[in-house]
Amino acid sequence: MWCERPDFKSGSKEKIRDYITYFEGTCELCIGNLGIQKYYNDVESLIENETQNDDEMNMLLYYVSGVICYKVSKYEEAVERWKKAEKYARKRTDDVFLAKIFSYYAIIYYIEKDFDRSEVYFDESASIFAVHKMYTELSLHYINYLWYKRYDPDKNQVSAYLDQAFFYVQLSNSVMDARVYLHLGYIYKTIFNDFIRGIGYLNTARDLCCKNNNVEMESMTLHTLADGYMKLSHFSEAIQIYEQIMEESRYANITENLKCAIMSNLIPCYITTGDYEKASLYLEKMKNLSANTQINARPYFDCLSNWLTAMIYIKKKENLDAVFPLLSSCTVFCVNDYQPIQMDSFDLKLAESFGEYWETVGDYDKALEHYQQMEKLSEKYTDFDKMNTCSRLAVVYEKRGEYKTALEFKKKETEYFDKIDRDNILNQYDQLYKKFFKTIQDKQLKNLFETNVNLKKAAYIDELTKAHSRLYYEDFAERLGKKGPYSAIMMDLDFFKEYNDNYGHLKGDICLTAVAKIIKDSIPEAEFDVKCHFIRYGGEEFLILAENYNSDDILALAETIRKNVENAKIEHSYSKGSNYLTLSAGCSTGIFNAVAELENLVSSADRALYEAKKSGRNVVKRN
């Protein structure tokens, strides 16, 4: 035990006070299951001699017994022990231990949603600690309560409590302070997206851990850092940190609880980067280690194992029949808000996984239901979670062909990204990198915004043909703001259904890619994406929107494209008009500056395309 002094005799009050220091100052993940049982047995054996102990000893024993029960989520047993400790504290008129007990009562009543009683005990405890200038206890009092209150809708109160915790921990000088700074860093980073302040607290926590040789808590600070990189979609950096913890001898003896928690983040990093072999390897390690975790935490780690197994199956598109039962088995852990070892926003992650499963099997209606559930759940979480939710909704609406709605969510995603961007996260994480974890390559970090900008651009590019996507068209329509001649060419490949049915969809995709390249190459290079915007409108339909092209100009471009496709001589033995693939096109020109007028222009070009089809195909018509 990191704070236990070997010179104290077993059963002495000093030894019991060390137990209190350990359990008050250590995160649940950092307490080993065997350690809990050992110390609990020691305490219970001394409680058996209650009649022979003095009142102070019995107060200490019942208090720490309650804290141990609380750490393993046995809340009723904890309260039972604290009631007995309270009796001895009152007998001794020990206000300090009364305040400690009241502090835990406040948490228990908050968990039970008895907020009035919780507030009474919270205020009473804080008042006693303040009178006695118990700064360590005051800082822990606020931070322990905040761990359950951190997602409270009243963020002003959460922020005020954080300020109080920081104020008092600065006046403290205790081995328990590392826990306060760790939680301050975690809450500021995760709940408020305040990376600068969060990083500063994590630095302090790590320094205190090194000073007191608290390797478990040091690992927790690294764990919290890596979680930040995951939120920023910088999975390679998160992997480096987690691998260091898992592989360096310094961290070899951290608890199984903490190792499993770390692997429950490391495995999704591998899944996201496509390294399914390592994901499966660490998943097997996690399953083996979970047998040695805290008894009350094992079902939770089993739940995480099922979830991660399902995620690997979804990404690899294999064993899909097993995915729904695996995910369904996890839903019970979203019913209770206060799991013993909680993975933040697991209800959100589970809704996303259900949505991704249904999206993978092609049921977009059910996928949408779960992504809409995500949208509701994300309201209580961070801007990162809201941004990810909007991204999911944009994709599934696009797959359903609801392009305008998809564009709305894509814009919301961009708004959340820009909001996070304004917080200057790159500079914040640059500071974190320099001060906190010097083994990560600086150049990787500096690609953060470039990567995100590319992701934003990717939404407007059709993955198959590399033409602009339908989302680009919808956005283009809303950005119109100037009058001037616009022209449209609507193009469709002749008898393409017959091509797909006979050659297969794989060759059909290759054909579409080839035609898209021909169309792009037909547009003068200086005008591509400046005057001429090339869009995959849907299926085998392509659209060109051209600025400052008159009726003759657009007709000439359409005819050039038609000839170039015909001259490419792409074999199509099942065409009813030629032995090669051909293209029909319709053109239209207009002057406008409104969305409706653009739609009229495109509709006019579409009618001209219909006339081209009626007249025998492989021709160009204009309205």
Side-chain angles (χ1 to χ4, degrees), residues 210-237:
C210 293
K211 177 182 176 182
N212 295 306
N213 196 31
N214 188 348
V215 178
E216 286 89 356
M217 198 82 78
E218 182 186 345
S219 300
M220 277 292 293
T221 58
L222 291 170
H223 178 30
T224 306
L225 164 63
D227 179 71
Y229 277 117
M230 288 181 68
K231 286 186 179 296
L232 294 172
S233 300
H234 264 233
F235 298 101
S236 60
E237 288 89 341

PDB file of all heavy atoms in Angstrom, residues 210-237:
ATOM      1  N   CYS A 210       4.343  10.794  -8.312  1.00  0.00           N
ATOM      2  CA  CYS A 210       5.771  10.438  -8.338  1.00  0.00           C
ATOM      3  C   CYS A 210       6.411  10.689  -6.981  1.00  0.00           C
ATOM      4  O   CYS A 210       7.216   9.876  -6.494  1.00  0.00           O
ATOM      5  CB  CYS A 210       6.487  11.235  -9.424  1.00  0.00           C
ATOM      6  SG  CYS A 210       5.995  10.808 -11.100  1.00  0.00           S
ATOM      7  N   LYS A 211       6.043  11.799  -6.350  1.00  0.00           N
ATOM      8  CA  LYS A 211       6.596  12.145  -5.042  1.00  0.00           C
ATOM      9  C   LYS A 211       6.254  11.088  -4.006  1.00  0.00           C
ATOM     10  O   LYS A 211       7.090  10.727  -3.156  1.00  0.00           O
ATOM     11  CB  LYS A 211       6.046  13.503  -4.603  1.00  0.00           C
ATOM     12  CG  LYS A 211       6.492  13.957  -3.219  1.00  0.00           C
ATOM     13  CD  LYS A 211       5.849  15.290  -2.869  1.00  0.00           C
ATOM     14  CE  LYS A 211       6.196  15.707  -1.444  1.00  0.00           C
ATOM     15  NZ  LYS A 211       5.534  16.989  -1.086  1.00  0.00           N
ATOM     16  N   ASN A 212       5.038  10.547  -4.063  1.00  0.00           N
ATOM     17  CA  ASN A 212       4.578   9.575  -3.071  1.00  0.00           C
ATOM     18  C   ASN A 212       4.666   8.132  -3.564  1.00  0.00           C
ATOM     19  O   ASN A 212       4.152   7.223  -2.908  1.00  0.00           O
ATOM     20  CB  ASN A 212       3.133   9.884  -2.673  1.00  0.00           C
ATOM     21  CG  ASN A 212       2.997  11.209  -1.968  1.00  0.00           C
ATOM     22  OD1 ASN A 212       3.668  11.466  -0.971  1.00  0.00           O
ATOM     23  ND2 ASN A 212       2.131  12.078  -2.481  1.00  0.00           N
ATOM     24  N   ASN A 213       5.298   7.939  -4.741  1.00  0.00           N
ATOM     25  CA  ASN A 213       5.445   6.605  -5.330  1.00  0.00           C
ATOM     26  C   ASN A 213       4.095   5.913  -5.504  1.00  0.00           C
ATOM     27  O   ASN A 213       3.961   4.708  -5.283  1.00  0.00           O
ATOM     28  CB  ASN A 213       6.375   5.734  -4.475  1.00  0.00           C
ATOM     29  CG  ASN A 213       6.852   4.507  -5.241  1.00  0.00           C
ATOM     30  OD1 ASN A 213       7.003   4.551  -6.462  1.00  0.00           O
ATOM     31  ND2 ASN A 213       7.079   3.411  -4.536  1.00  0.00           N
ATOM     32  N   ASN A 214       3.120   6.668  -5.938  1.00  0.00           N
ATOM     33  CA  ASN A 214       1.775   6.135  -6.165  1.00  0.00           C
ATOM     34  C   ASN A 214       1.641   5.815  -7.651  1.00  0.00           C
ATOM     35  O   ASN A 214       1.125   6.611  -8.435  1.00  0.00           O
ATOM     36  CB  ASN A 214       0.725   7.155  -5.727  1.00  0.00           C
ATOM     37  CG  ASN A 214      -0.681   6.585  -5.745  1.00  0.00           C
ATOM     38  OD1 ASN A 214      -0.907   5.507  -6.281  1.00  0.00           O
ATOM     39  ND2 ASN A 214      -1.610   7.304  -5.158  1.00  0.00           N
ATOM     40  N   VAL A 215       2.120   4.644  -8.034  1.00  0.00           N
ATOM     41  CA  VAL A 215       2.192   4.272  -9.446  1.00  0.00           C
ATOM     42  C   VAL A 215       0.797   4.093 -10.036  1.00  0.00           C
ATOM     43  O   VAL A 215       0.556   4.428 -11.198  1.00  0.00           O
ATOM     44  CB  VAL A 215       3.029   2.988  -9.625  1.00  0.00           C
ATOM     45  CG1 VAL A 215       3.074   2.565 -11.081  1.00  0.00           C
ATOM     46  CG2 VAL A 215       4.442   3.209  -9.104  1.00  0.00           C
ATOM     47  N   GLU A 216      -0.130   3.549  -9.242  1.00  0.00           N
ATOM     48  CA  GLU A 216      -1.483   3.342  -9.759  1.00  0.00           C
ATOM     49  C   GLU A 216      -2.119   4.661 -10.174  1.00  0.00           C
ATOM     50  O   GLU A 216      -2.667   4.795 -11.265  1.00  0.00           O
ATOM     51  CB  GLU A 216      -2.366   2.658  -8.700  1.00  0.00           C
ATOM     52  CG  GLU A 216      -2.067   1.200  -8.490  1.00  0.00           C
ATOM     53  CD  GLU A 216      -0.997   0.993  -7.435  1.00  0.00           C
ATOM     54  OE1 GLU A 216      -0.443   2.007  -6.938  1.00  0.00           O
ATOM     55  OE2 GLU A 216      -0.691  -0.165  -7.113  1.00  0.00           O
ATOM     56  N   MET A 217      -2.025   5.668  -9.297  1.00  0.00           N
ATOM     57  CA  MET A 217      -2.639   6.957  -9.609  1.00  0.00           C
ATOM     58  C   MET A 217      -1.906   7.648 -10.764  1.00  0.00           C
ATOM     59  O   MET A 217      -2.514   8.335 -11.582  1.00  0.00           O
ATOM     60  CB  MET A 217      -2.645   7.861  -8.383  1.00  0.00           C
ATOM     61  CG  MET A 217      -3.629   9.005  -8.482  1.00  0.00           C
ATOM     62  SD  MET A 217      -5.291   8.505  -8.043  1.00  0.00           S
ATOM     63  CE  MET A 217      -5.149   8.497  -6.258  1.00  0.00           C
ATOM     64  N   GLU A 218      -0.611   7.441 -10.851  1.00  0.00           N
ATOM     65  CA  GLU A 218       0.145   7.977 -11.988  1.00  0.00           C
ATOM     66  C   GLU A 218      -0.380   7.368 -13.282  1.00  0.00           C
ATOM     67  O   GLU A 218      -0.535   8.053 -14.301  1.00  0.00           O
ATOM     68  CB  GLU A 218       1.633   7.678 -11.824  1.00  0.00           C
ATOM     69  CG  GLU A 218       2.490   8.235 -12.948  1.00  0.00           C
ATOM     70  CD  GLU A 218       3.950   7.812 -12.846  1.00  0.00           C
ATOM     71  OE1 GLU A 218       4.369   7.334 -11.770  1.00  0.00           O
ATOM     72  OE2 GLU A 218       4.662   7.957 -13.855  1.00  0.00           O
ATOM     73  N   SER A 219      -0.652   6.070 -13.244  1.00  0.00           N
ATOM     74  CA  SER A 219      -1.213   5.406 -14.421  1.00  0.00           C
ATOM     75  C   SER A 219      -2.575   5.988 -14.776  1.00  0.00           C
ATOM     76  O   SER A 219      -2.925   6.119 -15.952  1.00  0.00           O
ATOM     77  CB  SER A 219      -1.352   3.903 -14.171  1.00  0.00           C
ATOM     78  OG  SER A 219      -0.111   3.330 -13.885  1.00  0.00           O
ATOM     79  N   MET A 220      -3.335   6.346 -13.741  1.00  0.00           N
ATOM     80  CA  MET A 220      -4.646   6.945 -13.989  1.00  0.00           C
ATOM     81  C   MET A 220      -4.525   8.291 -14.697  1.00  0.00           C
ATOM     82  O   MET A 220      -5.335   8.637 -15.555  1.00  0.00           O
ATOM     83  CB  MET A 220      -5.399   7.126 -12.666  1.00  0.00           C
ATOM     84  CG  MET A 220      -6.117   5.880 -12.186  1.00  0.00           C
ATOM     85  SD  MET A 220      -7.518   5.410 -13.239  1.00  0.00           S
ATOM     86  CE  MET A 220      -8.645   6.770 -12.949  1.00  0.00           C
ATOM     87  N   THR A 221      -3.498   9.063 -14.345  1.00  0.00           N
ATOM     88  CA  THR A 221      -3.314  10.355 -15.026  1.00  0.00           C
ATOM     89  C   THR A 221      -2.985  10.137 -16.502  1.00  0.00           C
ATOM     90  O   THR A 221      -3.474  10.853 -17.372  1.00  0.00           O
ATOM     91  CB  THR A 221      -2.204  11.187 -14.356  1.00  0.00           C
ATOM     92  OG1 THR A 221      -0.980  10.462 -14.363  1.00  0.00           O
ATOM     93  CG2 THR A 221      -2.565  11.541 -12.932  1.00  0.00           C
ATOM     94  N   LEU A 222      -2.140   9.135 -16.775  1.00  0.00           N
ATOM     95  CA  LEU A 222      -1.829   8.807 -18.174  1.00  0.00           C
ATOM     96  C   LEU A 222      -3.070   8.303 -18.897  1.00  0.00           C
ATOM     97  O   LEU A 222      -3.303   8.612 -20.078  1.00  0.00           O
ATOM     98  CB  LEU A 222      -0.714   7.762 -18.225  1.00  0.00           C
ATOM     99  CG  LEU A 222       0.672   8.237 -17.777  1.00  0.00           C
ATOM    100  CD1 LEU A 222       1.621   7.056 -17.651  1.00  0.00           C
ATOM    101  CD2 LEU A 222       1.240   9.256 -18.748  1.00  0.00           C
ATOM    102  N   HIS A 223      -3.867   7.510 -18.206  1.00  0.00           N
ATOM    103  CA  HIS A 223      -5.120   6.998 -18.755  1.00  0.00           C
ATOM    104  C   HIS A 223      -6.042   8.157 -19.148  1.00  0.00           C
ATOM    105  O   HIS A 223      -6.652   8.166 -20.224  1.00  0.00           O
ATOM    106  CB  HIS A 223      -5.768   6.112 -17.686  1.00  0.00           C
ATOM    107  CG  HIS A 223      -7.095   5.532 -18.057  1.00  0.00           C
ATOM    108  ND1 HIS A 223      -7.458   5.226 -19.341  1.00  0.00           N
ATOM    109  CD2 HIS A 223      -8.160   5.178 -17.278  1.00  0.00           C
ATOM    110  CE1 HIS A 223      -8.676   4.704 -19.351  1.00  0.00           C
ATOM    111  NE2 HIS A 223      -9.125   4.679 -18.106  1.00  0.00           N
ATOM    112  N   THR A 224      -6.115   9.161 -18.277  1.00  0.00           N
ATOM    113  CA  THR A 224      -6.962  10.325 -18.538  1.00  0.00           C
ATOM    114  C   THR A 224      -6.428  11.133 -19.723  1.00  0.00           C
ATOM    115  O   THR A 224      -7.194  11.638 -20.542  1.00  0.00           O
ATOM    116  CB  THR A 224      -7.028  11.217 -17.286  1.00  0.00           C
ATOM    117  OG1 THR A 224      -7.443  10.421 -16.169  1.00  0.00           O
ATOM    118  CG2 THR A 224      -8.011  12.350 -17.464  1.00  0.00           C
ATOM    119  N   LEU A 225      -5.122  11.244 -19.825  1.00  0.00           N
ATOM    120  CA  LEU A 225      -4.502  11.916 -20.969  1.00  0.00           C
ATOM    121  C   LEU A 225      -4.839  11.203 -22.270  1.00  0.00           C
ATOM    122  O   LEU A 225      -5.263  11.824 -23.250  1.00  0.00           O
ATOM    123  CB  LEU A 225      -2.985  11.953 -20.779  1.00  0.00           C
ATOM    124  CG  LEU A 225      -2.132  12.274 -22.018  1.00  0.00           C
ATOM    125  CD1 LEU A 225      -2.443  13.675 -22.512  1.00  0.00           C
ATOM    126  CD2 LEU A 225      -0.666  12.131 -21.705  1.00  0.00           C
ATOM    127  N   ALA A 226      -4.674   9.892 -22.282  1.00  0.00           N
ATOM    128  CA  ALA A 226      -4.943   9.122 -23.500  1.00  0.00           C
ATOM    129  C   ALA A 226      -6.404   9.245 -23.906  1.00  0.00           C
ATOM    130  O   ALA A 226      -6.731   9.309 -25.098  1.00  0.00           O
ATOM    131  CB  ALA A 226      -4.565   7.663 -23.289  1.00  0.00           C
ATOM    132  N   ASP A 227      -7.294   9.282 -22.921  1.00  0.00           N
ATOM    133  CA  ASP A 227      -8.717   9.449 -23.213  1.00  0.00           C
ATOM    134  C   ASP A 227      -8.967  10.766 -23.950  1.00  0.00           C
ATOM    135  O   ASP A 227      -9.826  10.842 -24.840  1.00  0.00           O
ATOM    136  CB  ASP A 227      -9.502   9.407 -21.899  1.00  0.00           C
ATOM    137  CG  ASP A 227     -10.992   9.593 -22.115  1.00  0.00           C
ATOM    138  OD1 ASP A 227     -11.624   8.671 -22.641  1.00  0.00           O
ATOM    139  OD2 ASP A 227     -11.517  10.672 -21.764  1.00  0.00           O
ATOM    140  N   GLY A 228      -8.199  11.802 -23.598  1.00  0.00           N
ATOM    141  CA  GLY A 228      -8.322  13.078 -24.303  1.00  0.00           C
ATOM    142  C   GLY A 228      -7.931  12.961 -25.765  1.00  0.00           C
ATOM    143  O   GLY A 228      -8.587  13.508 -26.651  1.00  0.00           O
ATOM    144  N   TYR A 229      -6.848  12.230 -26.031  1.00  0.00           N
ATOM    145  CA  TYR A 229      -6.440  12.017 -27.425  1.00  0.00           C
ATOM    146  C   TYR A 229      -7.514  11.252 -28.202  1.00  0.00           C
ATOM    147  O   TYR A 229      -7.749  11.509 -29.383  1.00  0.00           O
ATOM    148  CB  TYR A 229      -5.115  11.267 -27.483  1.00  0.00           C
ATOM    149  CG  TYR A 229      -3.914  12.168 -27.321  1.00  0.00           C
ATOM    150  CD1 TYR A 229      -3.051  12.025 -26.244  1.00  0.00           C
ATOM    151  CD2 TYR A 229      -3.642  13.164 -28.247  1.00  0.00           C
ATOM    152  CE1 TYR A 229      -1.951  12.852 -26.083  1.00  0.00           C
ATOM    153  CE2 TYR A 229      -2.545  13.997 -28.102  1.00  0.00           C
ATOM    154  CZ  TYR A 229      -1.707  13.833 -27.025  1.00  0.00           C
ATOM    155  OH  TYR A 229      -0.629  14.658 -26.878  1.00  0.00           O
ATOM    156  N   MET A 230      -8.164  10.288 -27.528  1.00  0.00           N
ATOM    157  CA  MET A 230      -9.246   9.553 -28.195  1.00  0.00           C
ATOM    158  C   MET A 230     -10.372  10.499 -28.592  1.00  0.00           C
ATOM    159  O   MET A 230     -10.915  10.394 -29.697  1.00  0.00           O
ATOM    160  CB  MET A 230      -9.787   8.464 -27.267  1.00  0.00           C
ATOM    161  CG  MET A 230      -8.860   7.282 -27.076  1.00  0.00           C
ATOM    162  SD  MET A 230      -9.570   6.027 -25.984  1.00  0.00           S
ATOM    163  CE  MET A 230     -10.927   5.411 -27.003  1.00  0.00           C
ATOM    164  N   LYS A 231     -10.737  11.418 -27.702  1.00  0.00           N
ATOM    165  CA  LYS A 231     -11.805  12.360 -28.013  1.00  0.00           C
ATOM    166  C   LYS A 231     -11.451  13.235 -29.209  1.00  0.00           C
ATOM    167  O   LYS A 231     -12.319  13.654 -29.960  1.00  0.00           O
ATOM    168  CB  LYS A 231     -12.112  13.236 -26.794  1.00  0.00           C
ATOM    169  CG  LYS A 231     -12.869  12.505 -25.693  1.00  0.00           C
ATOM    170  CD  LYS A 231     -13.276  13.462 -24.597  1.00  0.00           C
ATOM    171  CE  LYS A 231     -14.061  12.720 -23.517  1.00  0.00           C
ATOM    172  NZ  LYS A 231     -15.328  12.176 -24.037  1.00  0.00           N
ATOM    173  N   LEU A 232     -10.158  13.516 -29.385  1.00  0.00           N
ATOM    174  CA  LEU A 232      -9.709  14.325 -30.511  1.00  0.00           C
ATOM    175  C   LEU A 232      -9.446  13.489 -31.764  1.00  0.00           C
ATOM    176  O   LEU A 232      -8.923  13.982 -32.754  1.00  0.00           O
ATOM    177  CB  LEU A 232      -8.431  15.083 -30.129  1.00  0.00           C
ATOM    178  CG  LEU A 232      -8.588  16.144 -29.035  1.00  0.00           C
ATOM    179  CD1 LEU A 232      -7.230  16.677 -28.616  1.00  0.00           C
ATOM    180  CD2 LEU A 232      -9.482  17.273 -29.499  1.00  0.00           C
ATOM    181  N   SER A 233      -9.822  12.193 -31.690  1.00  0.00           N
ATOM    182  CA  SER A 233      -9.622  11.256 -32.812  1.00  0.00           C
ATOM    183  C   SER A 233      -8.151  11.085 -33.160  1.00  0.00           C
ATOM    184  O   SER A 233      -7.812  10.781 -34.301  1.00  0.00           O
ATOM    185  CB  SER A 233     -10.412  11.718 -34.055  1.00  0.00           C
ATOM    186  OG  SER A 233     -11.786  11.770 -33.765  1.00  0.00           O
ATOM    187  N   HIS A 234      -7.254  11.266 -32.189  1.00  0.00           N
ATOM    188  CA  HIS A 234      -5.836  10.999 -32.379  1.00  0.00           C
ATOM    189  C   HIS A 234      -5.505   9.678 -31.696  1.00  0.00           C
ATOM    190  O   HIS A 234      -4.954   9.622 -30.608  1.00  0.00           O
ATOM    191  CB  HIS A 234      -5.005  12.160 -31.822  1.00  0.00           C
ATOM    192  CG  HIS A 234      -4.619  13.138 -32.882  1.00  0.00           C
ATOM    193  ND1 HIS A 234      -3.335  13.548 -33.103  1.00  0.00           N
ATOM    194  CD2 HIS A 234      -5.354  13.748 -33.826  1.00  0.00           C
ATOM    195  CE1 HIS A 234      -3.301  14.386 -34.125  1.00  0.00           C
ATOM    196  NE2 HIS A 234      -4.515  14.529 -34.569  1.00  0.00           N
ATOM    197  N   PHE A 235      -5.875   8.616 -32.404  1.00  0.00           N
ATOM    198  CA  PHE A 235      -5.818   7.294 -31.803  1.00  0.00           C
ATOM    199  C   PHE A 235      -4.400   6.764 -31.697  1.00  0.00           C
ATOM    200  O   PHE A 235      -4.093   5.988 -30.795  1.00  0.00           O
ATOM    201  CB  PHE A 235      -6.702   6.326 -32.592  1.00  0.00           C
ATOM    202  CG  PHE A 235      -8.143   6.734 -32.587  1.00  0.00           C
ATOM    203  CD1 PHE A 235      -8.707   7.376 -33.682  1.00  0.00           C
ATOM    204  CD2 PHE A 235      -8.932   6.523 -31.478  1.00  0.00           C
ATOM    205  CE1 PHE A 235     -10.030   7.772 -33.667  1.00  0.00           C
ATOM    206  CE2 PHE A 235     -10.262   6.916 -31.453  1.00  0.00           C
ATOM    207  CZ  PHE A 235     -10.810   7.543 -32.554  1.00  0.00           C
ATOM    208  N   SER A 236      -3.513   7.176 -32.596  1.00  0.00           N
ATOM    209  CA  SER A 236      -2.136   6.678 -32.529  1.00  0.00           C
ATOM    210  C   SER A 236      -1.452   7.148 -31.255  1.00  0.00           C
ATOM    211  O   SER A 236      -0.699   6.391 -30.624  1.00  0.00           O
ATOM    212  CB  SER A 236      -1.340   7.121 -33.765  1.00  0.00           C
ATOM    213  OG  SER A 236      -1.293   8.534 -33.853  1.00  0.00           O
ATOM    214  N   GLU A 237      -1.713   8.415 -30.852  1.00  0.00           N
ATOM    215  CA  GLU A 237      -1.125   8.927 -29.621  1.00  0.00           C
ATOM    216  C   GLU A 237      -1.686   8.201 -28.397  1.00  0.00           C
ATOM    217  O   GLU A 237      -0.955   7.850 -27.469  1.00  0.00           O
ATOM    218  CB  GLU A 237      -1.388  10.438 -29.481  1.00  0.00           C
ATOM    219  CG  GLU A 237      -0.581  11.299 -30.435  1.00  0.00           C
ATOM    220  CD  GLU A 237      -1.290  11.502 -31.757  1.00  0.00           C
ATOM    221  OE1 GLU A 237      -2.212  10.713 -32.084  1.00  0.00           O
ATOM    222  OE2 GLU A 237      -0.924  12.447 -32.487  1.00  0.00           O
TER     223      GLU A 237
END
